Amino acid sequence: FLSVTEDLVRRRAEHNNCEIFSLEEISLHQQEIEKLEHLDKWCRDLKILYLQNNLIPKIENVAKLKKLEYLNVALNNIERIENLEGCEELKKLDLTANFIGELSSIESLKCNIHLKELFLMGNPCTEFEGYREFVVATLHQLKYLDSKEIERSERIKALQNYAEVKWKIREQEQAYLLKRAREKEEAQRRMQERKDKEQKQMDSKLGFDSSDCPQKKENHQAEGDGEQEGCRTVENDEEDRRFWEEPTPYTPESRLETHRYIEEKRRAKDNIRETKKREKPPWTLVSAEGKVLNVNVPKLHFSLKDDEESNQIILDLAVYRHLDTSLLDVDVQPTYIRVLVKGKPFQLVLPEEVKPDSSSAKRSQTTGHLVVTMPKVCKIV
C-alpha cells in the first residue's frame, strides 16, 4: 500500500521552504494514499490538513495534532469516525463521500468541544431514517451539518425524540453492518478468483498449458510471436470489457480493486513501452556496401565551415544549451564525424580528410553549441 512519506510531505511543503516541523497547512489530496501515518510525529503544528480523494480506510495517527482545526478526508474509504479525541482544536471535519454506515461512531466526537461544522453527505448513514435528528441531538456543539445551519428549535425537537431516534438508528446500523459483512465476503471471493486466474495465466506463459492460445509449437518462431501477441491483445481487451461491465456494488473494496486494476494496466503498458524501446533496431550508420551515411537522429541544426585560411574544418552543432556535456560523445574519424547526443547519433561525411588526433571539441560559452575543430590532412599550396 501507499503511505505518507517524508519525501512527499517535503515536496508538498514548498510554501514553507520544505520545512515540515513548523508546517501549519498541507495538501495531500489525490496522492493514492492507503494509510494515514507519520504526520502526527513530523508536523505537530498542523492546523489544516487536506487528504481528500485518496484510499484511506481508517482515521488514525492524528491524535497528537493538538492544533488541528480543519481535517478534510472526503472521498476516501473510511467506514467509522474514530481517533480524533486528541485533536482538541478541531472546528471543521469533512467526511463527504466515504462509507460511514456506523453512524453511532459520531459519539466519539463529543470530546471535540470546538467542532462547529461536520460534513457527512454521500455516506450510507445519511440514508438512515432519523439521520439528521440523531447527529443534531448527539453533538450539541455543532452549528452546521452538511452545510445547513442547525436551528435552536431543531435541536430542541431532536433532543425530545432522541431515545426513539437512537433506537431506530441502531436497528438500521445493524442491518447495514450485516450487509457490509456480506460485501466483504464477496470481495474476498472475487479477489481469490482473480488471483487464481492470474496464476493460471502465469502457468500458461511458462508453458504449463498451451490451450489458451491456438498457436501450435511447430509453427515458425516469428509467426508464433505475432500470433501470441495478437492472442494476448484479444485476451486483454476481453478482460477489460468483463471488468468494466461486471456489475459490482460501490464499496471500499471495489473502489480499491478498481484503483489497483487501473494501476496494473498502466504498469503493463509502461513495461511494453520500455520493452519496445529496448528492442528498437540500431540506427543504420553504414550501408551494406560499407558507405558511411549522413545521419541526424536528434534533428539538430548544424553548420560545417571549411576554414581554408587555417586549413581546418569546423562543425557547429546546435546541441541544447542546458544539455550536460557528459551526455555528448564525439568521435572524429579521417572521413567523417559522429556525435552521440543522449545516445542518439549525428553523423556527417566530411568534404576532406582530417586528422582525428589533432581535432578538438568544446562548448561555445555564448550559445552552448558543440564546436568541433578538425585540421585537414593536406595543406593548401
Side-chain angles (χ1 to χ4, degrees):
F1 59 84
L2 294 174
S3 61
V4 180
T5 64
E6 187 174 345
D7 178 57
L8 171 62
V9 175
R10 287 197 187 280
R11 278 189 282 114
R12 304 299 292 179
E14 288 177 357
H15 60 285
N16 200 47
N17 297 319
C18 297
E19 287 292 329
I20 62 174
F21 186 73
S22 61
L23 202 61
E24 292 189 355
E25 178 179 337
I26 191 168
S27 180
L28 296 170
H29 66 287
Q30 289 184 299
Q31 296 295 317
E32 300 172 358
I33 296 166
E34 293 182 38
K35 187 171 177 61
L36 181 51
E37 55 186 350
H38 305 310
L39 289 172
D40 59 337
K41 297 186 186 76
W42 298 337
C43 314
R44 291 285 183 91
D45 289 342
L46 271 183
K47 290 183 179 179
I48 300 172
L49 176 55
Y50 295 102
L51 285 161
Q52 65 269 33
N53 207 357
N54 281 295
L55 296 157
I56 299 165
K58 183 178 182 181
I59 301 171
E60 58 186 338
N61 300 314
V62 291
K64 293 175 185 173
L65 299 176
K66 304 292 181 187
K67 299 178 184 179
L68 190 66
E69 296 178 8
Y70 176 30
L71 175 62
N72 188 330
V73 280
L75 282 160
N76 276 281
N77 288 352
I78 295 163
E79 297 197 63
R80 72 190 311 269
I81 303 167
E82 58 189 337
N83 301 322
L84 288 168
E85 294 86 349
C87 303
E88 296 167 1
E89 296 298 318
L90 191 64
K91 295 173 183 173
K92 185 176 178 180
L93 176 60
D94 194 339
L95 287 154
T96 302
N98 274 277
F99 295 90
I100 296 166
E102 202 173 329
L103 186 56
S104 58
S105 65
I106 65 159
E107 291 174 352
S108 67
L109 295 174
K110 286 179 179 179
C111 300
N112 305 95
I113 57 173
H114 298 292
L115 186 66
K116 302 301 176 195
E117 295 182 72
L118 176 63
F119 298 86
L120 286 167
M121 297 103 68
N123 281 278
C125 63
T126 60
E127 301 295 320
F128 292 176
E129 185 186 348
Y131 150 72
R132 187 173 172 90
E133 296 97 306
F134 178 74
V135 177
V136 168
T138 304
L139 302 176
H140 301 171
Q141 73 275 39
L142 274 190
K143 298 292 182 189
Y144 295 88
L145 175 59
D146 298 333
S147 297
K148 186 181 175 185
E149 187 176 1
I150 301 168
E151 300 287 347
R152 185 171 177 272
S153 57
E154 183 185 8
R155 176 159 281 125
I156 291 169
K157 188 177 177 184
L159 286 165
Q160 287 172 347
N161 300 325
Y162 185 57
E164 185 184 342
V165 169
K166 187 175 181 179
W167 180 79
K168 279 184 182 176
I169 291 295
R170 296 281 187 192
E171 234 182 14
Q172 294 170 87
E173 194 175 86
Q174 288 304 312
Y176 175 80
L177 291 174
L178 285 171
K179 179 186 162 212
R180 278 294 294 131
R182 289 194 296 271
E183 286 173 350
K184 285 176 184 177
E185 283 179 15
E186 177 63 18
Q188 281 290 114
R189 185 190 63 78
R190 280 167 54 85
M191 193 181 295
Q192 191 57 51
E193 280 183 0
R194 195 168 167 206
K195 280 182 182 176
D196 293 344
K197 187 179 177 183
E198 284 171 359
Q199 186 60 51
K200 189 178 177 184
Q201 287 173 342
M202 186 64 69
D203 291 346
S204 177
K205 283 179 185 175
L206 292 171
F208 298 133
D209 180 11
S210 59
S211 61
D212 289 343
C213 189
Q215 181 60 38
K216 300 292 184 184
K217 283 184 182 178
E218 60 267 20
N219 283 4
H220 295 297
Q221 185 63 43
E223 291 175 2
D225 288 348
E227 283 190 30
Q228 283 171 0
E229 185 63 41
C231 189
R232 278 195 295 270
T233 303
V234 170
E235 283 175 357
N236 288 340
D237 289 346
E238 182 63 22
E239 182 191 355
D240 253 7
R241 187 187 63 77
R242 277 199 305 268
F243 183 85
W244 294 114
E245 288 184 2
E246 184 181 357
T248 52
Y250 183 61
T251 64
E253 292 79 23
S254 66
R255 189 167 178 256
L256 195 58
E257 184 185 6
T258 301
H259 165 74
R260 288 185 174 157
Y261 182 81
I262 292 169
E263 274 299 293
E264 281 173 18
K265 291 291 177 184
R266 183 188 62 76
R267 279 198 296 270
K269 282 182 181 176
D270 287 347
N271 289 339
I272 291 168
R273 207 175 288 122
E274 282 300 312
T275 303
K276 284 181 177 177
K277 275 185 187 175
R278 287 195 297 270
E279 291 174 353
K280 196 173 182 179
W283 290 284
T284 305
L285 302 175
V286 182
S287 70
E289 295 79 28
K291 182 184 176 184
V292 177
L293 304 173
N294 289 327
V295 176
N296 188 357
V297 175
K299 296 186 170 77
L300 298 171
H301 293 293
F302 68 93
S303 67
L304 193 67
K305 180 184 173 185
D306 191 345
D307 185 353
E308 294 184 354
E309 194 174 306
S310 301
N311 195 40
Q312 59 189 12
I313 296 171
I314 301 170
L315 170 68
D316 184 308
L317 186 60
V319 297
Y320 322 112
R321 179 185 289 273
H322 302 293
L323 183 72
D324 195 303
T325 305
S326 65
L327 298 173
L328 297 172
D329 184 16
V330 182
D331 180 19
V332 178
Q333 296 294 328
T335 58
Y336 69 91
I337 178 171
R338 180 183 298 160
V339 182
L340 293 179
V341 183
K342 292 173 70 175
K344 295 179 180 179
F346 170 90
Q347 182 170 279
L348 195 62
V349 177
L350 301 172
E352 291 187 50
E353 194 172 340
V354 299
K355 301 174 182 176
D357 294 342
S358 306
S359 299
S360 64
K362 64 179 181 179
R363 297 288 289 275
S364 167
Q365 291 185 343
T366 53
T367 62
H369 290 187
L370 176 70
V371 180
V372 185
T373 305
M374 299 165 280
K376 297 178 187 177
V377 170
C378 299
K379 286 192 176 182
I380 298 171
V381 180

PDB file of all heavy atoms in Angstrom, residues 16-41:
ATOM      1  N   ASN A  16       6.532  26.381   2.538  1.00  0.00           N
ATOM      2  CA  ASN A  16       7.153  26.548   3.858  1.00  0.00           C
ATOM      3  C   ASN A  16       8.653  26.234   3.786  1.00  0.00           C
ATOM      4  O   ASN A  16       9.245  25.758   4.748  1.00  0.00           O
ATOM      5  CB  ASN A  16       6.469  25.616   4.876  1.00  0.00           C
ATOM      6  CG  ASN A  16       6.686  26.045   6.316  1.00  0.00           C
ATOM      7  OD1 ASN A  16       6.520  27.214   6.653  1.00  0.00           O
ATOM      8  ND2 ASN A  16       7.076  25.116   7.165  1.00  0.00           N
ATOM      9  N   ASN A  17       9.249  26.491   2.591  1.00  0.00           N
ATOM     10  CA  ASN A  17      10.666  26.207   2.338  1.00  0.00           C
ATOM     11  C   ASN A  17      11.027  24.746   2.618  1.00  0.00           C
ATOM     12  O   ASN A  17      12.135  24.439   3.063  1.00  0.00           O
ATOM     13  CB  ASN A  17      11.564  27.124   3.191  1.00  0.00           C
ATOM     14  CG  ASN A  17      11.385  28.583   2.834  1.00  0.00           C
ATOM     15  OD1 ASN A  17      11.276  28.926   1.650  1.00  0.00           O
ATOM     16  ND2 ASN A  17      11.346  29.444   3.836  1.00  0.00           N
ATOM     17  N   CYS A  18      10.055  23.868   2.369  1.00  0.00           N
ATOM     18  CA  CYS A  18      10.217  22.416   2.559  1.00  0.00           C
ATOM     19  C   CYS A  18      10.473  22.017   4.020  1.00  0.00           C
ATOM     20  O   CYS A  18      10.864  20.882   4.297  1.00  0.00           O
ATOM     21  CB  CYS A  18      11.325  21.865   1.653  1.00  0.00           C
ATOM     22  SG  CYS A  18      10.944  22.046  -0.103  1.00  0.00           S
ATOM     23  N   GLU A  19      10.248  22.959   4.943  1.00  0.00           N
ATOM     24  CA  GLU A  19      10.352  22.636   6.373  1.00  0.00           C
ATOM     25  C   GLU A  19       9.036  21.990   6.813  1.00  0.00           C
ATOM     26  O   GLU A  19       7.966  22.545   6.563  1.00  0.00           O
ATOM     27  CB  GLU A  19      10.604  23.905   7.187  1.00  0.00           C
ATOM     28  CG  GLU A  19      12.003  24.475   7.042  1.00  0.00           C
ATOM     29  CD  GLU A  19      13.072  23.583   7.673  1.00  0.00           C
ATOM     30  OE1 GLU A  19      12.748  22.911   8.670  1.00  0.00           O
ATOM     31  OE2 GLU A  19      14.202  23.562   7.162  1.00  0.00           O
ATOM     32  N   ILE A  20       9.103  20.844   7.463  1.00  0.00           N
ATOM     33  CA  ILE A  20       7.850  20.164   7.823  1.00  0.00           C
ATOM     34  C   ILE A  20       7.509  20.282   9.304  1.00  0.00           C
ATOM     35  O   ILE A  20       6.341  20.169   9.680  1.00  0.00           O
ATOM     36  CB  ILE A  20       7.858  18.684   7.372  1.00  0.00           C
ATOM     37  CG1 ILE A  20       8.972  17.896   8.063  1.00  0.00           C
ATOM     38  CG2 ILE A  20       8.006  18.579   5.872  1.00  0.00           C
ATOM     39  CD1 ILE A  20       8.939  16.399   7.763  1.00  0.00           C
ATOM     40  N   PHE A  21       8.511  20.509  10.154  1.00  0.00           N
ATOM     41  CA  PHE A  21       8.233  20.561  11.586  1.00  0.00           C
ATOM     42  C   PHE A  21       7.313  21.731  11.944  1.00  0.00           C
ATOM     43  O   PHE A  21       6.430  21.603  12.791  1.00  0.00           O
ATOM     44  CB  PHE A  21       9.538  20.663  12.387  1.00  0.00           C
ATOM     45  CG  PHE A  21       9.338  20.583  13.874  1.00  0.00           C
ATOM     46  CD1 PHE A  21       9.017  19.384  14.473  1.00  0.00           C
ATOM     47  CD2 PHE A  21       9.439  21.712  14.667  1.00  0.00           C
ATOM     48  CE1 PHE A  21       8.808  19.293  15.849  1.00  0.00           C
ATOM     49  CE2 PHE A  21       9.230  21.639  16.041  1.00  0.00           C
ATOM     50  CZ  PHE A  21       8.919  20.426  16.633  1.00  0.00           C
ATOM     51  N   SER A  22       7.509  22.883  11.281  1.00  0.00           N
ATOM     52  CA  SER A  22       6.714  24.081  11.583  1.00  0.00           C
ATOM     53  C   SER A  22       5.528  24.256  10.643  1.00  0.00           C
ATOM     54  O   SER A  22       4.857  25.293  10.651  1.00  0.00           O
ATOM     55  CB  SER A  22       7.606  25.325  11.505  1.00  0.00           C
ATOM     56  OG  SER A  22       8.143  25.447  10.190  1.00  0.00           O
ATOM     57  N   LEU A  23       5.246  23.243   9.843  1.00  0.00           N
ATOM     58  CA  LEU A  23       4.174  23.323   8.842  1.00  0.00           C
ATOM     59  C   LEU A  23       2.805  23.471   9.510  1.00  0.00           C
ATOM     60  O   LEU A  23       2.476  22.738  10.436  1.00  0.00           O
ATOM     61  CB  LEU A  23       4.206  22.045   7.998  1.00  0.00           C
ATOM     62  CG  LEU A  23       3.567  22.082   6.616  1.00  0.00           C
ATOM     63  CD1 LEU A  23       4.235  23.112   5.721  1.00  0.00           C
ATOM     64  CD2 LEU A  23       3.654  20.695   5.979  1.00  0.00           C
ATOM     65  N   GLU A  24       1.997  24.425   9.012  1.00  0.00           N
ATOM     66  CA  GLU A  24       0.661  24.642   9.574  1.00  0.00           C
ATOM     67  C   GLU A  24      -0.453  24.176   8.624  1.00  0.00           C
ATOM     68  O   GLU A  24      -1.578  23.943   9.063  1.00  0.00           O
ATOM     69  CB  GLU A  24       0.462  26.123   9.901  1.00  0.00           C
ATOM     70  CG  GLU A  24       1.342  26.599  11.046  1.00  0.00           C
ATOM     71  CD  GLU A  24       0.997  28.002  11.506  1.00  0.00           C
ATOM     72  OE1 GLU A  24       0.136  28.662  10.873  1.00  0.00           O
ATOM     73  OE2 GLU A  24       1.587  28.448  12.511  1.00  0.00           O
ATOM     74  N   GLU A  25      -0.125  24.056   7.342  1.00  0.00           N
ATOM     75  CA  GLU A  25      -1.129  23.625   6.359  1.00  0.00           C
ATOM     76  C   GLU A  25      -0.461  22.769   5.301  1.00  0.00           C
ATOM     77  O   GLU A  25       0.627  23.086   4.837  1.00  0.00           O
ATOM     78  CB  GLU A  25      -1.780  24.848   5.700  1.00  0.00           C
ATOM     79  CG  GLU A  25      -2.800  24.487   4.628  1.00  0.00           C
ATOM     80  CD  GLU A  25      -3.463  25.712   3.998  1.00  0.00           C
ATOM     81  OE1 GLU A  25      -3.495  26.782   4.639  1.00  0.00           O
ATOM     82  OE2 GLU A  25      -3.962  25.590   2.863  1.00  0.00           O
ATOM     83  N   ILE A  26      -1.119  21.673   4.935  1.00  0.00           N
ATOM     84  CA  ILE A  26      -0.574  20.826   3.868  1.00  0.00           C
ATOM     85  C   ILE A  26      -1.710  20.164   3.092  1.00  0.00           C
ATOM     86  O   ILE A  26      -2.740  19.802   3.666  1.00  0.00           O
ATOM     87  CB  ILE A  26       0.387  19.744   4.423  1.00  0.00           C
ATOM     88  CG1 ILE A  26       1.137  19.066   3.273  1.00  0.00           C
ATOM     89  CG2 ILE A  26      -0.326  18.735   5.295  1.00  0.00           C
ATOM     90  CD1 ILE A  26       2.298  18.216   3.697  1.00  0.00           C
ATOM     91  N   SER A  27      -1.506  20.049   1.786  1.00  0.00           N
ATOM     92  CA  SER A  27      -2.491  19.405   0.917  1.00  0.00           C
ATOM     93  C   SER A  27      -1.896  18.126   0.351  1.00  0.00           C
ATOM     94  O   SER A  27      -0.911  18.161  -0.387  1.00  0.00           O
ATOM     95  CB  SER A  27      -2.881  20.361  -0.220  1.00  0.00           C
ATOM     96  OG  SER A  27      -3.821  19.736  -1.058  1.00  0.00           O
ATOM     97  N   LEU A  28      -2.476  17.000   0.720  1.00  0.00           N
ATOM     98  CA  LEU A  28      -2.025  15.691   0.234  1.00  0.00           C
ATOM     99  C   LEU A  28      -3.163  14.989  -0.500  1.00  0.00           C
ATOM    100  O   LEU A  28      -3.319  13.775  -0.426  1.00  0.00           O
ATOM    101  CB  LEU A  28      -1.549  14.830   1.417  1.00  0.00           C
ATOM    102  CG  LEU A  28      -0.327  15.354   2.184  1.00  0.00           C
ATOM    103  CD1 LEU A  28      -0.115  14.561   3.458  1.00  0.00           C
ATOM    104  CD2 LEU A  28       0.922  15.312   1.322  1.00  0.00           C
ATOM    105  N   HIS A  29      -3.975  15.769  -1.214  1.00  0.00           N
ATOM    106  CA  HIS A  29      -5.111  15.182  -1.935  1.00  0.00           C
ATOM    107  C   HIS A  29      -4.629  14.496  -3.220  1.00  0.00           C
ATOM    108  O   HIS A  29      -3.606  14.865  -3.793  1.00  0.00           O
ATOM    109  CB  HIS A  29      -6.149  16.258  -2.267  1.00  0.00           C
ATOM    110  CG  HIS A  29      -5.661  17.289  -3.241  1.00  0.00           C
ATOM    111  ND1 HIS A  29      -4.754  18.259  -2.888  1.00  0.00           N
ATOM    112  CD2 HIS A  29      -5.941  17.484  -4.549  1.00  0.00           C
ATOM    113  CE1 HIS A  29      -4.500  19.023  -3.934  1.00  0.00           C
ATOM    114  NE2 HIS A  29      -5.201  18.569  -4.959  1.00  0.00           N
ATOM    115  N   GLN A  30      -5.371  13.465  -3.631  1.00  0.00           N
ATOM    116  CA  GLN A  30      -5.111  12.718  -4.870  1.00  0.00           C
ATOM    117  C   GLN A  30      -3.673  12.187  -4.941  1.00  0.00           C
ATOM    118  O   GLN A  30      -3.016  12.300  -5.965  1.00  0.00           O
ATOM    119  CB  GLN A  30      -5.394  13.602  -6.092  1.00  0.00           C
ATOM    120  CG  GLN A  30      -6.877  13.860  -6.295  1.00  0.00           C
ATOM    121  CD  GLN A  30      -7.143  14.662  -7.553  1.00  0.00           C
ATOM    122  OE1 GLN A  30      -6.683  15.795  -7.677  1.00  0.00           O
ATOM    123  NE2 GLN A  30      -7.875  14.101  -8.487  1.00  0.00           N
ATOM    124  N   GLN A  31      -3.203  11.595  -3.856  1.00  0.00           N
ATOM    125  CA  GLN A  31      -1.857  11.017  -3.830  1.00  0.00           C
ATOM    126  C   GLN A  31      -1.897   9.487  -3.738  1.00  0.00           C
ATOM    127  O   GLN A  31      -0.872   8.858  -3.525  1.00  0.00           O
ATOM    128  CB  GLN A  31      -1.075  11.589  -2.639  1.00  0.00           C
ATOM    129  CG  GLN A  31      -0.822  13.078  -2.707  1.00  0.00           C
ATOM    130  CD  GLN A  31       0.080  13.463  -3.860  1.00  0.00           C
ATOM    131  OE1 GLN A  31       1.079  12.815  -4.138  1.00  0.00           O
ATOM    132  NE2 GLN A  31      -0.272  14.525  -4.562  1.00  0.00           N
ATOM    133  N   GLU A  32      -3.091   8.900  -3.865  1.00  0.00           N
ATOM    134  CA  GLU A  32      -3.267   7.439  -3.809  1.00  0.00           C
ATOM    135  C   GLU A  32      -2.797   6.857  -2.467  1.00  0.00           C
ATOM    136  O   GLU A  32      -2.334   5.717  -2.388  1.00  0.00           O
ATOM    137  CB  GLU A  32      -2.524   6.763  -4.974  1.00  0.00           C
ATOM    138  CG  GLU A  32      -3.040   7.229  -6.332  1.00  0.00           C
ATOM    139  CD  GLU A  32      -2.202   6.725  -7.491  1.00  0.00           C
ATOM    140  OE1 GLU A  32      -1.186   6.043  -7.243  1.00  0.00           O
ATOM    141  OE2 GLU A  32      -2.565   7.007  -8.645  1.00  0.00           O
ATOM    142  N   ILE A  33      -2.932   7.655  -1.410  1.00  0.00           N
ATOM    143  CA  ILE A  33      -2.505   7.228  -0.074  1.00  0.00           C
ATOM    144  C   ILE A  33      -3.487   6.180   0.465  1.00  0.00           C
ATOM    145  O   ILE A  33      -4.695   6.378   0.427  1.00  0.00           O
ATOM    146  CB  ILE A  33      -2.443   8.439   0.883  1.00  0.00           C
ATOM    147  CG1 ILE A  33      -1.363   9.427   0.409  1.00  0.00           C
ATOM    148  CG2 ILE A  33      -2.155   7.999   2.315  1.00  0.00           C
ATOM    149  CD1 ILE A  33      -1.454  10.795   1.071  1.00  0.00           C
ATOM    150  N   GLU A  34      -2.943   5.075   0.972  1.00  0.00           N
ATOM    151  CA  GLU A  34      -3.781   3.999   1.510  1.00  0.00           C
ATOM    152  C   GLU A  34      -3.640   3.850   3.020  1.00  0.00           C
ATOM    153  O   GLU A  34      -4.347   3.037   3.622  1.00  0.00           O
ATOM    154  CB  GLU A  34      -3.426   2.669   0.826  1.00  0.00           C
ATOM    155  CG  GLU A  34      -3.807   2.641  -0.655  1.00  0.00           C
ATOM    156  CD  GLU A  34      -3.508   1.305  -1.307  1.00  0.00           C
ATOM    157  OE1 GLU A  34      -3.709   0.265  -0.648  1.00  0.00           O
ATOM    158  OE2 GLU A  34      -3.071   1.302  -2.469  1.00  0.00           O
ATOM    159  N   LYS A  35      -2.731   4.608   3.609  1.00  0.00           N
ATOM    160  CA  LYS A  35      -2.574   4.537   5.067  1.00  0.00           C
ATOM    161  C   LYS A  35      -2.156   5.905   5.584  1.00  0.00           C
ATOM    162  O   LYS A  35      -1.235   6.523   5.055  1.00  0.00           O
ATOM    163  CB  LYS A  35      -1.536   3.482   5.449  1.00  0.00           C
ATOM    164  CG  LYS A  35      -1.456   3.247   6.959  1.00  0.00           C
ATOM    165  CD  LYS A  35      -0.581   2.055   7.266  1.00  0.00           C
ATOM    166  CE  LYS A  35      -0.414   1.820   8.764  1.00  0.00           C
ATOM    167  NZ  LYS A  35      -1.656   1.548   9.472  1.00  0.00           N
ATOM    168  N   LEU A  36      -2.866   6.357   6.614  1.00  0.00           N
ATOM    169  CA  LEU A  36      -2.586   7.658   7.215  1.00  0.00           C
ATOM    170  C   LEU A  36      -1.631   7.466   8.389  1.00  0.00           C
ATOM    171  O   LEU A  36      -2.000   6.870   9.403  1.00  0.00           O
ATOM    172  CB  LEU A  36      -3.902   8.299   7.678  1.00  0.00           C
ATOM    173  CG  LEU A  36      -3.844   9.679   8.320  1.00  0.00           C
ATOM    174  CD1 LEU A  36      -3.074  10.660   7.476  1.00  0.00           C
ATOM    175  CD2 LEU A  36      -5.259  10.192   8.564  1.00  0.00           C
ATOM    176  N   GLU A  37      -0.401   7.967   8.247  1.00  0.00           N
ATOM    177  CA  GLU A  37       0.590   7.800   9.317  1.00  0.00           C
ATOM    178  C   GLU A  37       1.675   8.872   9.237  1.00  0.00           C
ATOM    179  O   GLU A  37       1.766   9.619   8.275  1.00  0.00           O
ATOM    180  CB  GLU A  37       1.233   6.410   9.240  1.00  0.00           C
ATOM    181  CG  GLU A  37       1.855   6.086   7.892  1.00  0.00           C
ATOM    182  CD  GLU A  37       2.357   4.659   7.803  1.00  0.00           C
ATOM    183  OE1 GLU A  37       2.409   3.971   8.831  1.00  0.00           O
ATOM    184  OE2 GLU A  37       2.708   4.237   6.689  1.00  0.00           O
ATOM    185  N   HIS A  38       2.464   8.959  10.303  1.00  0.00           N
ATOM    186  CA  HIS A  38       3.653   9.824  10.424  1.00  0.00           C
ATOM    187  C   HIS A  38       3.378  11.316  10.643  1.00  0.00           C
ATOM    188  O   HIS A  38       4.203  11.998  11.248  1.00  0.00           O
ATOM    189  CB  HIS A  38       4.581   9.678   9.212  1.00  0.00           C
ATOM    190  CG  HIS A  38       5.012   8.280   8.928  1.00  0.00           C
ATOM    191  ND1 HIS A  38       5.541   7.457   9.905  1.00  0.00           N
ATOM    192  CD2 HIS A  38       4.963   7.549   7.773  1.00  0.00           C
ATOM    193  CE1 HIS A  38       5.818   6.277   9.366  1.00  0.00           C
ATOM    194  NE2 HIS A  38       5.482   6.300   8.084  1.00  0.00           N
ATOM    195  N   LEU A  39       2.279  11.824  10.120  1.00  0.00           N
ATOM    196  CA  LEU A  39       2.045  13.266  10.198  1.00  0.00           C
ATOM    197  C   LEU A  39       2.001  13.772  11.639  1.00  0.00           C
ATOM    198  O   LEU A  39       2.427  14.889  11.921  1.00  0.00           O
ATOM    199  CB  LEU A  39       0.744  13.637   9.474  1.00  0.00           C
ATOM    200  CG  LEU A  39       0.789  13.532   7.938  1.00  0.00           C
ATOM    201  CD1 LEU A  39      -0.603  13.738   7.363  1.00  0.00           C
ATOM    202  CD2 LEU A  39       1.761  14.529   7.347  1.00  0.00           C
ATOM    203  N   ASP A  40       1.486  12.959  12.545  1.00  0.00           N
ATOM    204  CA  ASP A  40       1.397  13.387  13.953  1.00  0.00           C
ATOM    205  C   ASP A  40       2.771  13.487  14.611  1.00  0.00           C
ATOM    206  O   ASP A  40       2.930  14.132  15.649  1.00  0.00           O
ATOM    207  CB  ASP A  40       0.490  12.441  14.749  1.00  0.00           C
ATOM    208  CG  ASP A  40       0.987  11.002  14.728  1.00  0.00           C
ATOM    209  OD1 ASP A  40       1.739  10.644  13.801  1.00  0.00           O
ATOM    210  OD2 ASP A  40       0.624  10.236  15.633  1.00  0.00           O
ATOM    211  N   LYS A  41       3.792  12.886  13.985  1.00  0.00           N
ATOM    212  CA  LYS A  41       5.164  12.976  14.518  1.00  0.00           C
ATOM    213  C   LYS A  41       5.941  14.093  13.809  1.00  0.00           C
ATOM    214  O   LYS A  41       6.714  14.800  14.424  1.00  0.00           O
ATOM    215  CB  LYS A  41       5.895  11.650  14.327  1.00  0.00           C
ATOM    216  CG  LYS A  41       5.288  10.482  15.075  1.00  0.00           C
ATOM    217  CD  LYS A  41       6.174   9.248  14.924  1.00  0.00           C
ATOM    218  CE  LYS A  41       5.536   8.019  15.542  1.00  0.00           C
ATOM    219  NZ  LYS A  41       4.463   7.450  14.725  1.00  0.00           N
TER     220      LYS A  41
END
